[in-house]
Amino acid sequence: MATFASENVFKGILTSLPKPGGGEYGRFYSLPALNDPRIENQDPLSKPDMPSGVGATLAPREKRLPYSISILLESAIRNCDNFKVTQKDVENIIDWENTSENQTEIPFMPARVLLQDATGVPVLVDLASMRDAVKKLGGDPNKISPLIPGELVIDHSVQVDVARSEDAVQANIEFEFQRNKERFGFLKWGSSAFDNVLVVPPGSGIVHQVNLEYLGRVVFNTGGILYPDSVVGTDSHTPMIDGLGIAGWGVGGIEAEAAMLGQPMSMILPCVVGFKLFGKLNDGVTATDLVLTVTQMLRKHGVVGKFIEFYGEGVGELSLPDRATIANMCPEYGATMAFFPVDDVTLEYLRLTGRCEETVSMIKSYLYANRLFNDYKEVHHERVYTSYLQLDLVDIEPCVSGPKRPHDRVRLKDMKADWHACLHNKVGFKGYEISKGEKDKVVKFSFQGHPIDLKHGSVVIAAITSCTNTSNPSVMLGAGLVAKKACELGLEVKPWIKTSLAPGSRVVTEYFIQSGLQKYLNKLGFHTVGYGCTTCIGNSGELDKSVASAISENDIIAASVLSGNRNFEGRVHPLTRANYLASPPLVVAYALAGTVDIDFYEEPIGKGKNGINVYLKDIWPSNEEVLETRQAYVLPEMFKSIYEAITKGNPMWDKLSVPSSTLYSWDPNSTYIHEPPYFKNMTMEQPGLRKIKDCYCLLMFGDGITTDHISPPGSIHKDSPAAKYLIEHGVDHKDFNSYGSRRGNDQVMVRGTFANIRLTNKLLNGEVGPKTVHIPTGEKLTVYDAAMRYKEANQDTIILAGADYGTGSSRDWAAKGPLLLGVKAVIAKSFERIHRSNLVGMGIVPLCFKPGDDAETLQLTGHERFTVDLPENINDIEPSQNVNVATDTGKYFTCKLCLDTKVELAYIDHGGILPYVIRNLIKR
């Protein structure tokens, strides 16, 4: 491996780490041995051989590098071979305070890559297809195999179609295997066909929580070399691991593939926001309330593409799961990473989750010796940050976020007034524009003999769903205690509300059962339905037909309340137009109330035994109650027993029969796994920059277009092009499955691109739906049909968009789909970080309007034809340079070319990152 190349120019600072009882843990690249005041001074005072020009001539200073930047520095030093990583790269990172202001490019080589199954399948499809391409080009196909340690494909897909059922878990798992046998078989094939791939079988847990509780190492020991754990993952919530002091963030599947194949990740040295916490949370306030407040603050501050590093005495007051809850929502406030340096709280969590004492001792010894351990008992050198925020934890109040965005926080005491304002406001993120005469509309009907009054704000989905909160025993046990108190007082959840519980791992079920709280959750309808992505990603299952009809036929703004992290319009369920994020205890409370149109401080949740009014305060547990329950029932033995068997699979997984060949045998009739067209007719000659000339506008958007709009993750609509394709291939509607499950088939996914039913395309003058105007004819067509019409006529297309284009999950098909539709460029006011990278990775050129400009101010109608003035020779282009755009109507405007690095220019020159990797592997 190149990771520990003998020619490393920093070999002189390799230092032995002794064990307390004699012997050594191994050797490590010592940051103190650099003797650089920007890090820490040498201790002891020996001076090892150093590369010239590093550290020796600098004046002392009091402030040190952020911990998170020190992680990048250690990786660069350890991998410095003056080829992939150069001595100049190391110096740029050491001089972070100055170089971070200059868009400085650095390489980063993570310790591991983490794949969830929804992204793992298309990644393995691409790798299998790349092997075929390499063979056709005369190279060795086995070179296409992961090269770095710890590649992980986590399979956790669960479609929740069973609610209020004691056997919901088993029924869902059996249903998943029935639907996805081919997909699971492909994953199992990949675990043996490719080196260094571990597959965690279905039903084990959600990727983030398994990573936190089991996979995260904090410190690696590989071949006697110690180094910090770091991870990039194909799910945008990979930063949850930052709460454990492991540097991790989300990347696109395309970028992950390159990292797996030994390519350094090229990134801009980030700014770091120092976020100081002090004080302590009040009684009754949850980690969810904290994270929703932090999300709002950081969105307002502006942290896209930045690292966040938390510090201050308040951090020591937060449990590790509380920290992980904050880090998990990193994509919702737009940062790359939200880092909590390792301290004694981290070590206690490692012990709790079953890591052995010797491992914990090694971790502390290494981090302490390398100045990466944060000991609150010691006097600290101040860390220098790009900007600063602070928050007194005592100021946090109970809250929710919604109804359409995770950073639209609403204090619980203001919720009723805010809901009424949303009904009245103009259509937007905080408005539905309901007339006064319609605000109090009531729809009456019968559900299984029960009379229903359905109103605006009626809750029809209440989900304690995986991801943000289910790693956190305090809020989970809080939900169980709310359920217990509610049952004891005689409260019930209305039977037409679809309730569900999807823990992030089986450990949660274990402590719910041992504490006796699961039976109360079951009684209220919160049965465990599976372990994985559920309601938060749109896997809500269908509502009862009577409820669905009442909502759609009467234009009712129904509500969902969930403990996840995403509530974009159309994501949770097509029929819930109002979606609120809340803590697990509040999810139970809203399910009991049956409406979001309630003031929990003044109005009763319902009537209990003997008709007595029951208020939220009557069922809300104290922090002391939650702590006592957690200490009694969340135990290390649970984690050990659950995770000892995690890789052993289950009977259904073990029965899957897969071929042993290293090349995959593509089935042309498969609707799940299909060889993609990216490498057809590929040659060793790079194509160069493709002309962006006389392009039509395929779609024209405003602000806030998410990856959910571009590549929907949920169900396949019966009238969509994807549905038509599946029917033509003999698939019944009941077997359509979801877009997420069919991500290994480009024929389905390209037809699902821009298929979100809530898509608002300005070419349609405000009409909502997955359609567009075919400019040459003026016909209104589905986006797919219009794109194919353009492609048949050899006419390229672009997309016009507003701010924050591509926010949301790091979905590679949000870039792959537009490429296959014929999109050559996207011109937007701004891009979400991962999506911009994915566009570049697929060879689509991202362009930003200049500040103050957008389609509206430039009076663009979208009916023009667009030409981007790019030089033909890639060597004549600089990252982030200005380029001119002209239209056939005589308009000219300037955009910024959103290619951040020379490496990204090379990707565009090769037609994408995957062809770039293939050509470079064959040339070796």
Side-chain angles (χ1 to χ4, degrees):
M1 285 186 199
T3 308
F4 312 119
S6 59
E7 67 272 23
N8 191 309
V9 297
F10 287 91
K11 61 184 179 181
I13 63 171
L14 264 175
T15 305
S16 176
L17 183 67
K19 287 184 177 181
E24 68 173 28
Y25 289 114
R27 296 187 300 161
F28 69 100
Y29 287 88
S30 171
L31 299 184
L34 290 172
N35 201 26
D36 192 304
R38 292 168 294 185
I39 309 164
E40 294 283 354
N41 288 328
Q42 165 77 7
D43 183 21
L45 296 176
S46 61
K47 292 186 177 181
D49 294 334
M50 291 291 300
S52 61
V54 177
T57 60
L58 296 164
R61 51 171 296 131
E62 295 181 358
K63 293 186 178 181
R64 309 302 191 208
L65 287 179
Y67 287 99
S68 51
I69 298 300
S70 294
I71 300 292
L72 301 183
L73 174 62
E74 190 282 336
S75 175
I77 288 173
R78 178 166 37 87
N79 292 290
C80 186
D81 58 2
N82 271 336
F83 176 63
K84 289 183 177 179
V85 182
T86 68
Q87 188 176 322
K88 179 61 177 175
D89 295 323
V90 173
E91 176 58 30
N92 283 337
I93 299 174
I94 293 176
D95 199 28
W96 165 83
E97 187 177 3
N98 298 311
T99 53
S100 62
E101 298 176 356
N102 302 322
Q103 292 285 294
T104 303
E105 175 189 355
I106 63 163
F108 177 65
M109 299 187 74
R112 348 180 236 127
V113 174
L114 188 66
L115 310 174
Q116 56 165 187
D117 77 325
T119 45
V121 169
V123 165
L124 287 181
V125 165
D126 287 351
L127 294 184
S129 182
M130 289 172 75
R131 276 190 173 174
D132 291 341
V134 168
K135 185 178 181 181
K136 291 174 183 176
L137 291 169
D140 179 2
N142 289 320
K143 281 188 174 181
I144 302 295
S145 200
L147 300 175
I148 67 173
E151 300 302 329
L152 303 166
V153 179
I154 307 299
D155 198 317
H156 66 270
S157 176
V158 175
Q159 178 76 32
V160 181
D161 284 336
V162 182
R164 291 182 173 273
S165 169
E166 293 289 355
D167 64 349
V169 176
Q170 188 61 28
N172 272 319
I173 291 176
E174 290 177 0
F175 188 40
E176 277 297 280
F177 268 89
Q178 177 187 339
R179 286 173 130 188
N180 299 305
K181 182 178 179 180
E182 184 181 350
R183 184 163 62 96
F184 292 165
F186 178 71
L187 283 169
K188 193 172 182 181
W189 166 81
S191 68
S192 60
F194 294 95
D195 298 332
N196 218 15
V197 172
L198 169 68
V199 175
V200 178
S204 303
I206 192 170
V207 57
H208 326 296
Q209 192 158 347
V210 174
N211 194 22
L212 191 76
E213 296 176 350
Y214 175 67
L215 299 173
R217 293 160 171 82
V218 184
V219 173
F220 268 87
N221 188 341
T222 304
I225 300 293
L226 302 166
Y227 55 99
D229 189 1
S230 59
V231 59
V232 293
T234 55
D235 187 283
S236 56
H237 292 100
T238 301
M240 186 175 188
I241 201 66
D242 300 341
L244 196 63
I246 296 173
W249 59 87
V251 296
I254 306 143
E255 206 172 358
E257 291 169 26
M260 289 165 63
L261 295 169
Q263 298 297 310
M265 290 181 53
S266 179
M267 60 184 292
I268 295 297
L269 194 57
C271 297
V272 182
V273 178
F275 201 132
K276 185 176 183 179
L277 300 176
F278 51 95
K280 188 176 181 179
L281 293 174
N282 286 322
D283 196 47
V285 175
T286 70
T288 314
D289 302 319
L290 170 59
V291 71
L292 294 180
T293 303
V294 167
T295 298
Q296 185 183 48
M297 288 180 65
L298 288 171
R299 258 301 166 191
K300 183 177 180 180
H301 186 73
V303 294
V304 172
K306 299 177 182 178
F307 285 3
I308 314 299
E309 187 164 297
F310 291 89
Y311 70 103
E313 61 271 22
V315 175
E317 296 293 334
L318 296 179
S319 70
L320 196 290
D322 287 353
R323 301 175 188 185
T325 301
I326 294 172
N328 181 282
M329 285 195 77
C330 200
E332 279 64 56
Y333 40 84
T336 300
M337 188 166 76
F339 193 70
F340 289 83
V342 175
D343 61 4
D344 285 322
V345 173
T346 316
L347 301 183
E348 283 306 309
Y349 182 81
L350 294 174
R351 295 184 179 100
L352 172 67
T353 50
R355 276 79 160 191
C356 71
E357 191 58 41
E358 183 179 359
T359 297
V360 174
S361 176
M362 178 272 289
I363 289 170
K364 183 170 184 179
S365 296
Y366 166 77
L367 294 175
Y368 200 89
N370 224 10
R371 305 299 190 267
L372 296 173
F373 187 83
N374 191 10
D375 191 337
Y376 288 100
K377 300 171 187 174
E378 293 186 352
V379 177
H380 288 272
H381 289 293
E382 186 178 350
R383 305 276 160 175
V384 61
Y385 297 111
T386 310
S387 60
Y388 296 82
L389 286 171
Q390 63 179 22
L391 176 64
D392 189 342
L393 298 179
V394 78
D395 293 334
I396 304 299
E397 300 180 67
C399 58
V400 298
S401 279
K404 301 180 184 182
R405 295 190 300 186
H407 55 280
D408 289 332
R409 184 179 70 97
V410 185
R411 294 189 303 174
L412 196 61
K413 65 176 65 173
D414 299 330
M415 179 58 185
K416 187 180 180 75
D418 190 80
W419 170 248
H420 282 261
C422 286
L423 287 177
H424 173 72
N425 293 343
K426 290 183 178 180
V427 174
F429 293 123
K430 294 287 289 185
Y432 297 98
E433 204 167 352
I434 300 298
S435 65
K436 289 184 178 180
E438 293 287 311
K439 282 182 68 174
D440 299 318
K441 177 170 60 176
V442 179
V443 178
K444 295 180 178 290
F445 62 101
S446 177
F447 172 86
Q448 299 177 0
H450 298 274
I452 301 180
D453 287 356
L454 206 64
K455 307 174 183 178
H456 295 311
S458 289
V459 173
V460 295
I461 292 176
I464 302 174
T465 187
S466 54
C467 212
T468 310
N469 296 286
T470 56
S471 66
N472 196 322
S474 295
V475 291
M476 296 299 283
L477 291 169
L481 290 169
V482 167
K484 179 176 184 290
K485 293 171 184 285
C487 289
E488 290 171 346
L489 291 173
L491 294 180
E492 296 180 346
V493 174
K494 301 295 190 296
W496 54 84
I497 299 177
K498 190 160 192 177
T499 47
S500 62
L501 167 63
S505 81
R506 292 183 176 272
V507 175
V508 180
T509 296
E510 189 70 17
Y511 63 66
F512 268 152
I513 291 173
Q514 294 299 323
S515 65
L517 295 176
Q518 185 67 60
K519 64 182 179 182
Y520 298 107
L521 289 162
N522 289 350
K523 191 172 181 181
L524 296 183
F526 288 95
H527 298 282
T528 300
V529 295
Y531 303 89
C533 288
T534 56
T535 307
C536 191
I537 201 173
N539 290 346
S540 306
E542 297 301 323
L543 296 176
D544 183 86
K545 289 182 179 179
S546 62
V547 177
S549 296
I551 295 171
S552 56
E553 293 172 7
N554 296 279
D555 199 25
I556 292 293
I557 301 174
S560 75
V561 183
L562 63 152
S563 66
N565 43 35
R566 296 267 166 83
N567 57 337
F568 302 124
E569 191 174 16
R571 180 182 177 100
V572 173
H573 192 283
L575 294 179
T576 58
R577 292 167 60 190
N579 305 284
Y580 285 93
L581 305 181
S583 65
L586 275 179
V587 170
V588 177
Y590 274 110
L592 291 164
T595 182
V596 297
D597 187 5
I598 183 173
D599 182 346
F600 277 132
Y601 292 85
E602 301 292 337
E603 299 175 78
I605 289 178
K607 292 189 180 295
K609 296 175 182 177
N610 303 319
I612 297 174
N613 284 337
V614 177
Y615 292 82
L616 181 64
K617 64 182 180 181
D618 299 326
I619 60 174
W620 198 264
S622 67
N623 287 8
E624 186 177 357
E625 285 179 88
V626 173
L627 178 61
E628 289 176 356
T629 308
R630 190 183 78 196
Q631 291 176 337
Y633 297 107
V634 183
L635 305 171
E637 292 74 21
M638 294 179 177
F639 293 90
K640 288 179 181 178
S641 62
I642 291 296
Y643 284 113
E644 277 176 358
I646 194 169
T647 58
K648 295 179 181 178
N650 54 59
M652 288 177 284
W653 176 262
D654 296 338
K655 288 178 183 177
L656 290 173
S657 177
V658 297
S660 58
S661 60
T662 57
L663 291 177
Y664 189 71
S665 298
W666 303 99
D667 179 0
N669 298 316
S670 172
T671 57
Y672 277 98
I673 308 296
H674 184 264
E675 183 177 11
Y678 314 128
F679 312 118
K680 287 184 178 179
N681 304 318
M682 180 181 169
T683 67
M684 284 299 293
E685 295 301 318
Q686 56 209 63
L689 193 65
R690 288 175 288 181
K691 295 279 187 180
I692 305 176
K693 186 176 181 181
D694 292 330
C695 296
Y696 284 103
C697 179
L698 179 64
L699 292 151
M700 185 175 181
F701 297 126
D703 297 343
I705 292 297
T706 71
T707 51
D708 283 3
H709 290 111
I710 305 167
S711 181
S715 59
I716 298 172
H717 195 273
K718 60 183 177 63
D719 297 324
S720 66
K724 182 180 178 182
Y725 169 85
L726 291 173
I727 291 170
E728 289 173 351
H729 285 73
V731 180
D732 292 334
H733 179 260
K734 65 181 178 61
D735 297 321
F736 276 3
N737 214 331
S738 64
Y739 283 114
S741 296
R742 294 189 180 273
R743 287 173 79 168
N745 188 316
D746 59 282
Q747 295 295 317
V748 174
M749 297 306 295
V750 69
R751 288 166 170 81
T753 305
F754 298 111
N756 191 304
I757 62 172
R758 295 292 176 190
L759 198 70
T760 301
N761 175 13
K762 290 188 174 183
L763 293 178
L764 295 176
N765 298 318
E767 180 181 337
V768 177
K771 293 192 175 182
T772 193
V773 174
H774 180 249
I775 304 299
T777 63
E779 292 181 73
K780 185 170 72 173
L781 303 171
T782 66
V783 176
Y784 173 77
D785 289 337
M788 293 305 103
R789 187 82 65 87
Y790 285 124
K791 290 192 78 172
E792 288 164 6
N794 292 318
Q795 295 167 334
D796 294 333
T797 57
I798 65 163
I799 290 170
L800 296 176
D804 300 326
Y805 183 77
T807 57
S809 299
S810 53
R811 197 160 291 138
D812 54 348
W813 268 108
K816 290 177 177 178
L819 173 74
L820 297 182
L821 290 177
V823 174
K824 292 296 184 288
V826 179
I827 306 176
K829 289 176 71 175
S830 62
F831 292 89
E832 192 276 337
R833 177 185 63 86
I834 300 175
H835 183 62
R836 185 208 62 82
S837 175
N838 279 348
L839 290 174
V840 175
M842 293 311 298
I844 296 176
V845 177
L847 299 159
C848 274
F849 290 109
K850 299 298 287 183
D853 284 352
D854 57 23
E856 186 175 342
T857 61
L858 294 169
Q859 297 182 331
L860 301 175
T861 66
H863 288 256
E864 304 88 348
R865 298 187 74 170
F866 296 82
T867 295
V868 182
D869 184 17
L870 284 173
E872 292 186 15
N873 190 330
I874 202 73
N875 295 321
D876 295 331
I877 305 176
E878 291 294 325
S880 304
Q881 76 172 49
N882 290 337
V883 295
N884 294 321
V885 181
T887 72
D888 62 335
T889 59
K891 291 184 185 297
Y892 294 87
F893 55 96
T894 302
C895 289
K896 185 181 86 168
L897 180 64
C898 295
L899 301 176
D900 290 344
T901 66
K902 290 286 189 180
V903 172
E904 289 189 342
L905 286 170
Y907 292 161
I908 291 291
D909 196 37
H910 278 262
I913 194 170
L914 302 184
Y916 172 86
V917 169
I918 288 177
R919 292 187 180 102
N920 279 278
L921 282 174
I922 293 176
K923 287 176 182 177
R924 286 180 184 175

